[in-house]
Amino acid sequence: MERVWYAAYGSNLSRDRFEHYLSGGRPDGAARTYPGARDRTPPTGDHPLLLPGRLYFAWKSPTWTGGVAFYDPTVREGAPTVAARAYLLTVQQFSDVAAQEMHRPPGDEVDVAGLLAHAPMATLGPGRYETLHQVGELEGLAVVTFSAPWTIETAPLNAPSAAYLRRIADGLREAHGWSAEQICGYLLDCPGVQPTWSRASLAAATG
């Protein structure tokens, strides 16, 4: 496997924010500067997706000073979906993105094909973004994302910051063409958002 689709569902929905993982630098609203990937070539593909499962917000990010997005693929009741954006990367680029998500320097290659050869889920380590999920195929290539080892029921839910929500909203508009009303409705339904955020405060933060 030389290339893979990385399915982003949190702040990386925003292409500008995501490309800091490749080119390096500090995204607007973030408290962290990224080293960037060894290969700084922009993604060679960009595609909106809807994933089966549910989005929720948990943990406390030193980068965003609030909860961040996680994906729980086990939630199927009511057929919920998670809005995602797939970026076509080399496996080396994907490996460098995964490393930076865990505050590690780029350099180690993730054996995506080997890890997912026998099951759609694999573990890189115990960290919050070290559980790999193969969520489908696109144009004959695997679509892969990463999330936490916990589920919504066991997660330390925590409301996201306004800066983080703005990045998600930017990405939902760019990739999916959603209206402000659609964005607010989607986010309000995600565990961890209420009661800190109301429809009115979300509209003000993400509009």
Side-chain angles (χ1 to χ4, degrees):
M1 180 186 292
E2 296 180 355
R3 296 187 299 162
V4 64
W5 290 95
Y6 160 54
Y9 52 80
S11 62
N12 285 342
L13 283 162
S14 162
R15 179 148 180 160
D16 175 75
R17 186 269 182 275
F18 170 68
E19 287 194 346
H20 283 83
Y21 278 113
L22 302 179
S23 62
R26 180 177 295 189
D28 289 343
R32 179 184 172 201
T33 300
Y34 294 86
R38 288 166 287 174
D39 177 358
R40 302 194 173 209
T41 307
T44 53
D46 186 331
H47 201 285
L49 294 176
L50 291 174
L51 309 179
R54 197 166 187 197
L55 184 74
Y56 65 95
F57 295 90
W59 193 59
K60 184 174 183 179
S61 168
T63 303
W64 297 102
T65 68
V68 287
F70 295 97
Y71 169 59
D72 187 344
T74 67
V75 180
R76 300 297 175 92
E77 185 177 351
T81 55
V82 173
R85 185 175 192 172
Y87 299 105
L88 186 57
L89 308 175
T90 66
V91 169
Q92 184 192 87
Q93 286 178 314
F94 177 82
S95 301
D96 289 351
V97 170
Q100 290 173 86
E101 282 281 15
M102 289 303 302
H103 292 251
R104 289 196 297 265
D108 292 333
E109 200 90 356
V110 174
D111 180 13
V112 177
L115 285 167
L116 298 171
H118 304 293
M121 185 182 80
T123 302
L124 297 175
R128 64 199 171 276
Y129 284 124
E130 291 189 306
T131 301
L132 290 185
H133 297 276
Q134 182 169 345
V135 292
E137 287 191 356
L138 183 61
E139 298 175 356
L141 297 171
V143 181
V144 180
T145 194
F146 35 70
S147 190
W150 54 65
T151 64
I152 290 174
E153 288 75 17
T154 60
L157 296 179
N158 190 29
S161 68
Y164 190 75
L165 287 168
R166 276 195 297 273
R167 286 303 195 168
I168 293 177
D170 289 345
L172 292 172
R173 281 188 286 266
E174 293 165 9
H176 291 267
W178 284 6
S179 67
E181 184 176 355
Q182 285 175 298
I183 291 168
C184 287
Y186 173 70
L187 292 173
L188 277 174
D189 191 47
C190 297
V193 171
Q194 299 189 64
T196 301
W197 291 96
S198 66
R199 184 174 290 274
S201 61
L202 268 178
T206 61

